[in-house]
Amino acid sequence: MATLPSAAAIPASAAPRRRFAFTRQRWASPIAGLLLWEAGSRLGLIPPNVLAAPSSVAETMAGMIVSGELPYNLLVSLGRALAGLAIGLILGVALALAAGLSRAAEAAIDPLVQIKRTIPTLALTPLFIIWFGIGEQPKILLIALATLFPVYLNLFNGIRGVDVRLIEAARTLGLSRGEIVTHVVLPAALPALLVGLRYALGVAVLVLVVAEQINATAGLGALINRARDFMQTDVIVVCVIVYALLGLAGDALVRRIETRALVWRPTILGH
């Protein structure tokens, strides 16, 4: 019976070619989809008022970049997302540290967090409008509230999942409780925190899309609202693409941080 060659049997020079072939295969279906989309638009199968052609979307995006309209509104949206994410990250880390390091704090904090987690954040939008108006506050606070939970849940589980033997070894070496937390617990829980941060970035972009529908006068949401009123599907698609790029850029950033911060893990180096 034929067997597959082992990894060691594959020449090192073949690895780059295999990676290139795999990357080319992954791009094949998206490119084919774009070509079919363009062909359908040019043949009249997809009306412009239903969905603009990729070439029209690219032309519109280039014009919006040159005019400065897209960069300005992107910065506004990015500022909202980062402000909400920062608040959610700080609160999530603080609550997870308190609940993860203290049974008494866990009894007080975790039930409230779990109860709130079952309530969809976007369902609170009407209440936030009543409480905070239609300015920037409800947009930022919705993002903060939504991003708090993935950070809290992952870091809390990371702290509670630290190997007890590591803590016992640290005590044997004479480390104080504060030193154990700083030098043992937090580094061991860092991978879980970074996973939570990756989830939080995706949630931040998702909630940003909805939050910017709250009477936004600037930002990607405002562009979408105006484009909807004038049935400019090309502008809407441009904004959707930018939202997607924001999510991908955030995920890539956390991956880079993970690679640098967790260099001590063998899996990070590919061993």
Side-chain angles (χ1 to χ4, degrees):
M1 181 176 178
T3 58
L4 294 173
S6 64
I10 299 175
S13 59
R17 292 197 299 270
R18 291 168 64 90
R19 285 196 296 268
F20 176 76
F22 179 71
T23 302
R24 185 174 57 187
Q25 291 172 0
R26 285 181 62 88
W27 278 102
S29 56
I31 292 175
L34 284 174
L35 292 176
L36 289 173
W37 178 7
E38 181 72 27
S41 298
R42 290 184 179 275
L43 293 174
L45 300 176
I46 305 176
N49 61 334
V50 173
L51 188 61
S55 56
S56 176
V57 171
E59 183 179 350
T60 299
M61 178 180 282
M64 293 174 69
I65 292 173
V66 171
S67 68
E69 182 182 20
L70 185 59
Y72 169 74
N73 287 282
L74 173 59
L75 288 176
V76 172
S77 293
L78 191 60
R80 289 172 182 148
L82 290 178
L85 179 63
I87 296 172
L89 180 62
I90 292 171
L91 291 177
V93 169
L95 292 174
L97 287 175
L101 298 174
S102 169
R103 292 289 181 182
E106 178 188 1
I109 294 172
D110 196 62
L112 295 175
V113 174
Q114 297 300 335
I115 290 172
K116 173 57 195 76
R117 187 171 65 90
T118 61
I119 302 173
T121 301
L122 298 180
L124 298 176
T125 303
L127 280 176
F128 273 48
I129 293 174
I130 294 173
W131 292 344
F132 305 109
I134 55 175
E136 292 298 307
Q137 279 187 316
K139 301 176 181 63
I140 293 174
L141 292 178
L142 278 172
I143 297 171
L145 189 62
T147 55
L148 181 153
F149 299 110
V151 173
Y152 169 85
L153 292 173
N154 281 277
L155 181 56
F156 175 79
N157 290 329
I159 291 173
R160 289 298 171 87
V162 174
D163 194 338
V164 177
R165 291 172 296 181
L166 292 175
I167 298 176
E168 292 175 351
R171 287 173 178 165
T172 302
L173 293 173
L175 271 67
S176 65
R177 176 178 172 82
E179 290 173 332
I180 291 174
V181 171
T182 304
H183 300 294
V184 178
V185 175
L186 293 182
L190 182 59
L193 173 61
L194 292 175
V195 171
L197 181 57
R198 287 181 66 185
Y199 277 109
L201 282 165
V203 171
V205 175
L206 175 64
V207 178
L208 175 67
V209 175
V210 179
E212 289 195 324
Q213 305 303 311
I214 305 174
N215 195 43
T217 57
L220 297 175
L223 289 179
I224 289 178
N225 287 336
R226 289 196 294 268
R228 177 199 60 204
D229 295 337
F230 293 99
M231 300 186 68
Q232 297 173 315
T233 57
D234 52 347
V235 176
I236 295 175
V237 174
V238 167
C239 294
V240 170
I241 291 172
V242 174
Y243 276 129
L245 292 177
L246 281 177
L248 290 173
D251 188 73
L253 176 62
V254 177
R255 284 178 176 271
R256 178 62 62 88
I257 294 173
E258 186 179 63
T259 302
R260 292 181 177 273
L262 304 181
V263 68
W264 48 269
R265 291 204 308 179
T267 53
I268 292 298
L269 297 178
H271 298 319

